[in-house]
Amino acid sequence: MKTIDKIYDTIMTAFNAVRKPLMPISAALIAGGSITRPGLSALMIASNIIRRQSEAGAYFGPLKDGSANVSEAMERIRVEEIVKAIKEDMKVEIAIPPGGISITGTGNALGIPAINITGTNINPVHGDGIAR
């Protein structure tokens, strides 16, 4: 058993060494691009997969005897469960590094004349999000 684990660890180390992280997307592109995204649809994903089955040589549509195509029904169930897990179980976390938030403005406290305020976060900031 230890030999299998060692082989697995060696293979995973090799894969991880080759795989480079994605380039970050600018905040402006994310903010602008996210507005037009329709969100995940299990029905649309399953339909696209079923429509393309013939590319892999799989039979498309009802079977020759007229019965339902079980593989198409399973594809829809499979995709519905994957999308459900992404929407309900996936967690999105963000971290804003020190200096990532700038604050500029004027302030007035306790009757003291207005003063200019300039600052930035000195600690990392944590945030959560929802996959949609």
Side-chain angles (χ1 to χ4, degrees):
M1 188 67 167
K2 291 191 179 214
T3 306
I4 293 172
D5 289 339
K6 190 172 182 178
I7 292 169
Y8 173 80
D9 290 339
T10 303
I11 292 170
M12 290 310 295
T13 301
F15 277 127
N16 289 334
V18 174
R19 188 171 181 202
K20 294 181 181 173
L22 294 172
M23 293 294 296
I25 300 172
S26 74
L29 284 176
I30 292 172
S34 65
I35 294 170
T36 60
R37 289 185 175 214
L40 292 176
S41 166
L43 181 59
M44 291 299 297
I45 295 168
S47 296
N48 289 336
I49 292 170
I50 291 167
R51 178 180 47 81
R52 294 186 59 198
Q53 284 185 142
S54 61
E55 294 176 27
Y59 191 75
F60 178 82
L63 300 179
K64 291 179 181 177
D65 65 1
S67 61
N69 189 330
V70 176
S71 69
E72 290 180 1
M74 282 306 303
E75 195 64 56
R76 182 170 176 184
I77 291 169
R78 185 178 296 111
V79 173
E80 285 173 348
E81 289 301 316
I82 292 168
V83 168
K84 178 181 169 188
I86 290 170
K87 287 182 173 181
E88 295 178 7
D89 299 335
M90 185 174 127
K91 183 170 179 140
V92 175
E93 295 186 17
I94 64 163
I96 300 171
I101 300 174
S102 296
I103 304 166
T104 304
T106 58
N108 184 342
L110 305 172
I112 300 172
I115 57 171
N116 290 330
I117 300 171
T118 303
T120 186
N121 62 307
I122 58 171
N123 295 315
V125 179
H126 178 267
D128 292 304
I130 297 174
R132 303 181 340 136

